[in-house]
Amino acid sequence: MKEIVVLGIETSCDETSASIVINGRRVLSNVINSQIDIHTLYGGVVPEIASRCHTEVINQVTKEALKQAGKTFKDIDVISCTYGPGLVGALLVGVSYAKGLSYALNKPLVGVNHIEGHIAGNYITYNKLEPPFLCLVISGGHTHLVHVKDYCNFEVIGKTRDDAIGEAFDKVARVVGLGYPGGPKVEQKAKEGVPSINLPKANIDNLDFSFSGIKTAVINLDHKDPNINKADLCASFEKVATDMLTQNTINAFKQINNENNKKIDKIVLAGGVSANSYIREQFEKIGKEQKIDVYFPELKLCTDNAAMIASAGYYNYIEGKISDLKLNAIPNLKIGG
Ligand code: KG4
Ligand code: ZN
């Protein structure tokens, strides 16, 4: 089989990343330039600053990805970039750059949905992993239960009605004084405490999620008693939020297998929040109990990176899903859209 060399470009939020991946699975390079230090000064991502930073570094990041892969622009077969969802100004930098390269090199351009990219990160970690499976995508902007029917065929069967889980982690971190980026800090703090504080679990009768209730409860408790044990609060938040994730995911797994002829036997996690060790432990435990195989992307592929975009780009390309130079950034792009 001919090797297809894909250049991936990711600029949807606060990471500028470029990567070279062969046939959607073999990563030759994955360069990530994080803007965390700059945004930390403001307590969160400032969209205008993010766009400017992407513009400043995208060319160097791409050249470094080529260098580390031992390739030149001429060796690239396909150029793939994230075109949504994300911050419009940030997305536009990657989309414009990729369009410029596609035109100059006369190579096909493939626009990739960022969430589908997160799912594809697992194809890199697990070389033999193939659809169908159920994927729980948990990130700063998304909480989706996705029935991955094939590489480019997705059905969203549950999603958050309000905050994304990562957003809730970030907000809890800010309220208890841990700063940005919040998820990893809440995880560390939770390890020093016990989940002894009662927090409300959303009561929803389908496969959707809701995290605004638990987030508000944490804020109110902290305001009422500024001396509340922060480690216990973080541990309690992490536990209740994780319970909501595991319960819905197991219900979704059962529903798919009741309704579809093509059964699934795997649960796959994706997105920045899937780096959380407590969440990973709980899914592993439930997987063992229920005899379901559970997959997590390796840590560096959980958060935003271009290797996952190159992988998704490859599968779009071989299915003939190629973009043209009219490709635009779509900040609220839906999965499968
Ligand atoms: O996937 P990602 O890099 O960006 C989006 O597509 O949104 O996810 C970023 C989110 C942030 O909310 C961050 O706080 C969260 O993932 N996150 C974590 C952990 N590492 C990153 N949340 C909980 N525990 C972690 N270890
Ligand atoms: Zn992401």
Short mmCIF file of all heavy atoms in Angstrom, two decimals, residues 79 96-109 325:
data_model
loop_
_atom_site.label_atom_id
_atom_site.label_comp_id
_atom_site.label_asym_id
_atom_site.label_seq_id
_atom_site.Cartn_x
_atom_site.Cartn_y
_atom_site.Cartn_z
N ILE A 79 -2.87 17.93 2.96
CA ILE A 79 -2.79 18.94 4.03
C ILE A 79 -4.14 18.97 4.74
O ILE A 79 -5.18 19.18 4.11
CB ILE A 79 -2.46 20.32 3.43
CG1 ILE A 79 -1.07 20.27 2.79
CG2 ILE A 79 -2.52 21.42 4.49
CD1 ILE A 79 -0.89 21.24 1.68
N SER A 96 -6.32 29.40 6.94
CA SER A 96 -5.69 30.23 5.90
C SER A 96 -4.31 29.69 5.55
O SER A 96 -3.94 29.63 4.36
CB SER A 96 -5.54 31.68 6.38
OG SER A 96 -6.74 32.15 6.88
N TYR A 97 -3.58 29.30 6.57
CA TYR A 97 -2.22 28.78 6.33
C TYR A 97 -2.30 27.49 5.49
O TYR A 97 -1.57 27.32 4.52
CB TYR A 97 -1.54 28.52 7.67
CG TYR A 97 -0.09 28.10 7.56
CD1 TYR A 97 0.91 29.03 7.27
CD2 TYR A 97 0.27 26.77 7.71
CE1 TYR A 97 2.23 28.64 7.15
CE2 TYR A 97 1.59 26.37 7.60
CZ TYR A 97 2.56 27.31 7.32
OH TYR A 97 3.88 26.91 7.21
N ALA A 98 -3.23 26.60 5.88
CA ALA A 98 -3.37 25.32 5.16
C ALA A 98 -3.82 25.56 3.72
O ALA A 98 -3.36 24.90 2.79
CB ALA A 98 -4.37 24.43 5.90
N LYS A 99 -4.71 26.52 3.53
CA LYS A 99 -5.18 26.83 2.17
C LYS A 99 -4.02 27.36 1.33
O LYS A 99 -3.86 26.96 0.16
CB LYS A 99 -6.32 27.86 2.23
CG LYS A 99 -7.66 27.20 2.50
CD LYS A 99 -8.75 28.12 2.98
CE LYS A 99 -9.16 29.25 2.13
NZ LYS A 99 -10.40 29.91 2.62
N GLY A 100 -3.22 28.22 1.92
CA GLY A 100 -2.05 28.76 1.22
C GLY A 100 -1.11 27.64 0.79
O GLY A 100 -0.65 27.59 -0.36
N LEU A 101 -0.85 26.71 1.70
CA LEU A 101 0.06 25.60 1.39
C LEU A 101 -0.54 24.72 0.29
O LEU A 101 0.15 24.29 -0.63
CB LEU A 101 0.28 24.73 2.63
CG LEU A 101 1.31 25.19 3.66
CD1 LEU A 101 1.43 24.13 4.75
CD2 LEU A 101 2.67 25.43 3.01
N SER A 102 -1.84 24.44 0.42
CA SER A 102 -2.51 23.57 -0.55
C SER A 102 -2.40 24.18 -1.95
O SER A 102 -2.10 23.47 -2.93
CB SER A 102 -3.97 23.39 -0.14
OG SER A 102 -4.73 22.87 -1.18
N TYR A 103 -2.60 25.47 -2.05
CA TYR A 103 -2.53 26.16 -3.35
C TYR A 103 -1.10 26.16 -3.88
O TYR A 103 -0.85 25.80 -5.03
CB TYR A 103 -3.05 27.59 -3.18
CG TYR A 103 -3.09 28.38 -4.46
CD1 TYR A 103 -4.03 28.08 -5.44
CD2 TYR A 103 -2.17 29.40 -4.69
CE1 TYR A 103 -4.06 28.80 -6.63
CE2 TYR A 103 -2.20 30.12 -5.87
CZ TYR A 103 -3.14 29.82 -6.84
OH TYR A 103 -3.17 30.52 -8.02
N ALA A 104 -0.17 26.53 -3.00
CA ALA A 104 1.22 26.66 -3.44
C ALA A 104 1.82 25.30 -3.82
O ALA A 104 2.60 25.20 -4.78
CB ALA A 104 2.05 27.31 -2.33
N LEU A 105 1.46 24.26 -3.07
CA LEU A 105 2.07 22.93 -3.32
C LEU A 105 1.22 22.09 -4.28
O LEU A 105 1.63 21.00 -4.64
CB LEU A 105 2.23 22.17 -1.99
CG LEU A 105 3.08 22.84 -0.91
CD1 LEU A 105 2.98 22.06 0.40
CD2 LEU A 105 4.54 22.93 -1.36
N ASN A 106 0.03 22.59 -4.57
CA ASN A 106 -0.91 21.86 -5.42
C ASN A 106 -1.22 20.47 -4.84
O ASN A 106 -1.14 19.45 -5.54
CB ASN A 106 -0.35 21.77 -6.85
CG ASN A 106 -1.43 21.36 -7.84
OD1 ASN A 106 -2.62 21.55 -7.56
ND2 ASN A 106 -1.03 20.80 -8.96
N LYS A 107 -1.54 20.46 -3.55
CA LYS A 107 -1.87 19.21 -2.84
C LYS A 107 -3.28 19.33 -2.26
O LYS A 107 -3.71 20.44 -1.90
CB LYS A 107 -0.89 18.97 -1.70
CG LYS A 107 0.53 18.79 -2.14
CD LYS A 107 0.74 17.46 -2.81
CE LYS A 107 2.18 17.36 -3.31
NZ LYS A 107 2.48 16.18 -4.04
N PRO A 108 -3.99 18.20 -2.14
CA PRO A 108 -5.36 18.28 -1.62
C PRO A 108 -5.44 18.80 -0.19
O PRO A 108 -4.55 18.55 0.64
CB PRO A 108 -5.87 16.83 -1.69
CG PRO A 108 -4.68 15.99 -1.95
CD PRO A 108 -3.60 16.85 -2.51
N LEU A 109 -6.54 19.51 0.05
CA LEU A 109 -6.80 20.11 1.37
C LEU A 109 -7.97 19.35 2.00
O LEU A 109 -8.97 19.08 1.33
CB LEU A 109 -7.19 21.57 1.16
CG LEU A 109 -7.66 22.37 2.37
CD1 LEU A 109 -6.49 22.64 3.32
CD2 LEU A 109 -8.27 23.71 1.92
N LEU A 325 -10.69 25.41 -1.85
CA LEU A 325 -10.10 26.63 -1.27
C LEU A 325 -11.15 27.60 -0.72
O LEU A 325 -10.82 28.65 -0.20
CB LEU A 325 -9.20 27.32 -2.31
CG LEU A 325 -7.94 26.52 -2.66
CD1 LEU A 325 -7.11 27.24 -3.71
CD2 LEU A 325 -7.09 26.24 -1.43
#
